[in-house]
Amino acid sequence: MSRKATHAVKAKKKNYWPRRIMAALLLVLVGVACYLGYLVYVSKNALDDITTDADPTVVIAPEQSVKVKPVALMLLGMDTRKETGSLNTDVMMIAAMNPKTKSAVVVSIPRDSRIALSGYNTRKANAYYAKFIQQEKKDGLKSKEAEQQAKKDLRAMFGKFFDIPIDYTATINFQGFSDVVDALGGVTVDVDMDMHYVDNADGTKINLSKGLQKLNGDDALDFVRYRKSNDGKNMSSDFDRNRRESQVLGQIADKLKSFSGVTKIGGVIKAVGNNLRMDIPTGEVENLMKTYYGIGAGDITFIPLEGTWKSPYVYLDEAKLQAAKDALRAKLAE
């Protein structure tokens, strides 16, 4: 196939926007938030490619800086399709990071989790952000201000849910994912099953064989988003996808930690580009990167929440939820 034809297929493929694809975003979110400490050693100007919505006049006291104080981040993967106008947060993670131990706990929340919390209507986890925005607009805020306030509302709610203070939010849509993986030269993963799915309507073609292999950006995206084959076999659950996400995330972390990864940081940041937004003050973004310079997959404990599916919700396992809460609190208290 010619280079031009390959590009055309790739472009068409990127028009496929299933919600499950959003699980891939955690790779970029956590990667940028936790691992790009290398950036400050390569090109400080690349910080300009990360958009922060924080008030530029805010000054963080030295004793409150992420350099010395544990921090909790809410990491959101946004479904921002123009076709639907959706604002569902189809990836939701809480990351607790400790500067003394240079380690982190990352808890992933299934998008369909039933959240029953005093003071809030019971909804799926991924529905709250859009509802908060709706309410803020009804209260008179314009779109950008409503989104910023909705993130604060979401942090407050999930802070209450997990019994921890959540300091900042990072959000991203999935468009930059393939380019991030490609910027790092691909990822080597163990594909857990044969994955074959074709949708001629939008040009989607997932064609992966079981086994250890190196994947480019598009194939890595297929790997984490795969649900089932056309014949309904080789079914894949949310929990299967969570395990794949952790595997690819570990690969990204280790690549960024290597020398060859360091030389590619500029390309990674460019790939993320305007798809990433944070409400972390600019100075603290730099401090975050410097502080967690060198962190790798072995320094991160991944805890995917699990539960039982009973339409339309995932009912979270209470014991595993409590263990996740305990792990987050412990990381912030080390």
Side-chain angles (χ1 to χ4, degrees), residues 13-69:
K13 187 174 186 179
K14 286 187 177 180
N15 287 329
Y16 178 61
W17 292 69
R19 287 181 176 176
R20 300 300 186 181
I21 199 174
M22 300 305 296
L25 299 181
L26 68 90
L27 310 174
V28 180
L29 284 170
V30 181
V32 170
C34 299
Y35 312 126
L36 296 190
Y38 311 97
L39 175 64
V40 297
Y41 296 93
V42 180
S43 173
K44 290 195 66 173
N45 290 335
L47 283 168
D48 295 336
D49 291 314
I50 298 178
T51 302
T52 177
D53 292 322
D55 184 343
T57 65
V58 171
V59 177
I60 304 299
E63 66 274 12
Q64 296 297 315
S65 173
V66 295
K67 293 190 296 185
V68 296
K69 182 183 177 183

Side-chain angles (χ1 to χ4, degrees), residues 243-299:
R243 285 188 286 272
R244 292 187 201 121
E245 291 158 9
S246 294
Q247 184 182 171
V248 179
L249 178 55
Q251 270 280 302
I252 288 177
D254 287 339
K255 274 183 167 287
L256 287 169
K257 192 174 181 178
S258 69
F259 177 77
S260 62
V262 173
T263 65
K264 296 173 180 175
I265 290 301
V268 172
I269 293 294
K270 290 291 185 183
V272 174
N274 292 329
N275 295 312
L276 174 69
R277 303 189 73 89
M278 296 189 289
D279 55 18
I280 307 172
T282 301
E284 286 296 270
V285 173
E286 185 174 342
N287 287 334
L288 188 74
M289 293 175 177
K290 287 180 177 178
T291 300
Y292 293 94
Y293 170 79
I295 191 173
D299 304 308

Side-chain angles (χ1 to χ4, degrees), residues 115-127:
I115 306 296
L117 189 63
S118 176
Y120 298 89
N121 292 330
T122 298
R123 293 191 174 98
K124 292 182 180 181
N126 75 329

Side-chain angles (χ1 to χ4, degrees), residues 123-141:
R123 293 191 174 98
K124 292 182 180 181
N126 75 329
Y128 283 98
Y129 179 62
K131 292 295 183 181
F132 287 150
I133 289 178
Q134 260 181 13
Q135 185 57 52
E136 296 301 340
K137 287 183 177 179
K138 285 182 181 178
D139 291 342
L141 291 182

Side-chain angles (χ1 to χ4, degrees), residues 18 31 92 113 128 144-145 187 226 237 239 299 307 319:
M92 305 187 71
S113 298
Y128 283 98
K144 183 176 181 180
E145 289 76 15
V187 291
Y226 175 79
S237 69
F239 309 120
D299 304 308

Side-chain angles (χ1 to χ4, degrees), residues 64-205:
Q64 296 297 315
S65 173
V66 295
K67 293 190 296 185
V68 296
K69 182 183 177 183
V71 63
L73 304 175
M74 172 165 275
L75 311 171
L76 305 175
M78 304 297 298
D79 179 356
T80 55
R81 291 175 288 174
K82 293 180 180 179
E83 295 89 340
T84 64
S86 173
L87 283 173
N88 285 343
T89 48
D90 285 333
V91 170
M92 305 187 71
M93 306 182 71
I94 308 297
M97 304 164 61
N98 192 290
K100 294 179 181 177
T101 58
K102 295 191 185 303
S103 60
V105 168
V106 179
V107 176
S108 60
I109 308 165
R111 50 165 295 204
D112 291 331
S113 298
R114 181 179 185 271
I115 306 296
L117 189 63
S118 176
Y120 298 89
N121 292 330
T122 298
R123 293 191 174 98
K124 292 182 180 181
N126 75 329
Y128 283 98
Y129 179 62
K131 292 295 183 181
F132 287 150
I133 289 178
Q134 260 181 13
Q135 185 57 52
E136 296 301 340
K137 287 183 177 179
K138 285 182 181 178
D139 291 342
L141 291 182
K142 295 182 179 179
S143 293
K144 183 176 181 180
E145 289 76 15
E147 290 176 12
Q148 291 172 346
Q149 184 58 48
K151 290 173 187 176
K152 294 178 182 178
D153 298 338
L154 198 65
R155 284 205 309 270
M157 191 198 82
F158 277 97
K160 181 177 180 181
F161 183 73
F162 284 102
D163 298 324
I164 61 169
I166 301 177
D167 304 283
Y168 302 114
T169 308
T171 63
I172 195 169
N173 62 57
F174 78 88
Q175 295 181 78
F177 172 75
S178 293
D179 291 338
V180 168
V181 173
D182 286 336
L184 288 169
V187 291
T188 301
V189 299
D190 189 4
V191 178
D192 50 299
M193 64 177 74
D194 289 336
M195 299 178 180
H196 305 294
Y197 179 79
V198 176
D199 187 338
N200 292 321
D202 56 28
T204 299
K205 185 176 181 180

